[in-house]
Amino acid sequence: MTDTEVLFLRSDELSGLATLSEYVDAVREGYREVGEGAAAEPRTKLVNQSPPGMLTGYMAILPETGAMGGYTYAAGFGDKDAHFFLPVFDAESGRPLAMLDGASLNPFKTGAAGGVAIDELARPDATDLALFGSGAQARGQLRAAAAVRDIETVEVYSPTKAHRESFAGEMNEALDASVAAVASPDAAVEGADIVVTATNATEPVFDGDMLEDGTHITAMGQYDPDKREVDTTAVERAKYVPDLRARVDQDAGAFLQAKEAGVVGDNHIHAELGEVVAGEAEGRTDRREITMFDSGGTGVETVAAAYMLYRKARDEGLGELLEFAPASDALTGR
C-alpha cells in the first residue's frame, strides 16, 4: 500500500469556514445517529499531579456521516496552556482523512450541541435568553441559540462587570437580539425562556427556585463530579437530558450531587440527546415543563463538526497534505 495523504488544517483556516447553522445541522445529524445506535463514549480523563495537568480524549463513530475520530487534548502541565489534536478517519475504510488544530472550533461545536438541545427542548416561541458567562464558550452558545430560535432579548451575567459589559456590547452588535449586561443572577433568570450557563464555576450560578415554568436550561460546564453550574433544585424540577447517558455517573456534577442529596434517582434521566433527536424519546411535551440539557462535551459533536469542516476545506483547497504510512507498510519497514 502507498502512504495515505491526510489534510492538516490550522486554526486560521478553520476560522469563519462554516456558519453556526452549518455546525448545528452537522451536530444534529451526529446525535441522531447516536440515538439510533452509533458508537460514542464519554471522555477519558487522566490527571497528573506534578506538574499539574490533564490529558483527555473522547471518540465517536458516525457511520452515516461517514466519519469517526475525536479529540485528544492536554491542558496545564508545564506549558500552562491547552492543545487540541483532532484526527478524522473515514468510517468505512478506516483511512485517516484529516488532522485539525482543534482548539478554535471548540466553542462552535459545543455551542452547536447546545443549539440542537434548544431546538429539541425549548419552547418554539422562546425569545428571552439568560446567559451566564462572557468567554468564548458563552459566545458560541449564544450564537447557536440565535441560529435555532428568534432570540429577541439576552441578559448576560458574569461576576466581573467589565467582562459582561464588554461581551454584551460585542454581541449586541453581532446579533439581531438586544443584548444587555445585568448586575445579578436573579436579574438574568427572571422572565427568561432559555437559561444557558457557560462558565467554569464550581458552585451553582443561579437559584433554581427562580426558574419560571416552561424554561429550558442548557448547562455546558458540567464535566466534573465536584463541579456544578446548576443547583439541586434546578435538576429536580427539570426533565433531565444529558448528551450521553454513560457520562452521567462519570462526571455530571450537578446530577451526581442532586442524586447524593437524595432528591433524584437514576430514573430521573429522561433520555440522552440523541434519543430525543432520533425520535426514540419525547422532548418537550408541555409548555409549562422545565427542561435541562446537561452538556459535558462528547466525541459526537466533535467528529460531526470536524468532518463538516474537513469537507468544506477540501472543496476550497485549504490545508496542507501530510503523508501517513498504513501499519501494513510501516510495521514491515517497506
Side-chain angles (χ1 to χ4, degrees):
M1 295 181 67
T2 59
D3 286 354
T4 299
E5 290 187 332
V6 176
L7 191 64
F8 176 60
L9 295 166
R10 295 177 171 82
S11 284
D12 59 350
E13 294 169 313
L14 300 174
S15 178
L17 187 58
T19 66
L20 254 300
S21 292
E22 289 175 310
Y23 275 97
V24 170
D25 288 345
V27 170
R28 179 185 288 110
E29 171 61 19
Y31 272 103
R32 181 193 64 77
E33 292 183 43
V34 171
E36 295 178 351
E41 290 292 331
R43 75 180 70 223
T44 296
K45 181 172 72 174
L46 304 179
V47 177
N48 196 61
Q49 299 301 325
S50 182
M54 176 181 71
L55 179 66
T56 297
Y58 42 61
M59 299 179 293
I61 300 175
L62 305 177
E64 293 181 52
T65 295
M68 57 187 180
Y71 261 153
T72 298
Y73 64 91
F77 296 95
D79 196 39
K80 306 299 183 187
D81 211 322
H83 305 279
F84 293 74
F85 283 65
L86 204 175
V88 181
F89 299 82
D90 181 83
E92 184 172 343
S93 69
R95 293 170 71 89
L97 299 173
M99 173 69 76
L100 282 66
D101 178 356
S104 65
L105 70 85
N106 192 289
F108 302 106
K109 62 91 178 175
T110 309
V116 172
I118 288 172
D119 209 22
E120 295 290 338
L121 298 171
R123 299 195 323 269
D125 60 353
T127 59
D128 187 293
L129 186 146
L131 179 64
F132 289 84
S134 56
Q137 294 290 354
R139 189 178 295 110
Q141 292 289 332
L142 180 53
R143 286 183 177 274
V148 299
R149 286 294 184 273
D150 293 325
I151 304 298
E152 295 177 359
T153 56
V154 180
E155 292 84 22
V156 180
Y157 177 78
S158 65
T160 303
K161 181 180 179 182
H163 291 173
R164 64 182 182 249
E165 290 182 346
S166 174
F167 179 91
E170 173 196 345
M171 299 310 294
N172 197 50
E173 292 291 325
L175 301 177
D176 291 335
S178 174
V179 184
V182 294
S184 70
D186 286 358
V189 173
E190 185 176 5
D193 304 313
I194 299 169
V195 177
V196 176
T197 60
T199 76
N200 59 4
T202 58
E203 292 299 326
V205 296
F206 67 88
D207 181 353
D209 283 323
M210 287 289 297
L211 294 168
E212 298 187 8
D213 289 346
T215 304
H216 168 72
I217 309 156
T218 288
M220 61 76 55
Q222 312 250 111
Y223 49 84
D224 187 284
D226 297 322
K227 291 182 64 172
R228 55 176 183 161
E229 295 177 300
V230 298
D231 62 14
T232 295
T233 301
V235 175
E236 182 181 15
R237 295 182 67 191
K239 175 181 280 186
Y240 178 82
V241 177
D243 42 20
L244 289 177
R245 192 183 298 266
R247 190 183 64 80
V248 176
D249 282 338
Q250 177 175 302
D251 59 17
F255 186 90
L256 291 173
Q257 293 184 50
K259 183 177 175 181
E260 184 177 354
V263 300
V264 301
D266 290 338
N267 61 357
H268 191 68
I269 303 172
H270 171 68
E272 61 181 42
L273 181 61
E275 293 169 334
V276 176
V277 175
E280 300 294 326
E282 292 181 321
R284 173 176 292 273
T285 57
D286 187 321
R287 284 187 56 81
R288 294 179 59 81
E289 71 182 341
I290 295 171
T291 56
M292 179 185 296
F293 174 53
D294 190 334
S295 173
T298 76
V300 183
E301 60 259 28
T302 303
V303 174
Y307 185 67
M308 177 269 294
L309 292 170
Y310 156 72
R311 293 185 66 180
K312 290 178 72 70
R314 182 192 60 190
D315 292 346
E316 294 187 21
L318 301 175
E320 175 186 353
L321 289 174
L322 306 177
E323 291 189 347
F324 279 67
S328 56
D329 285 355
L331 294 176
T332 59
R334 287 184 287 176

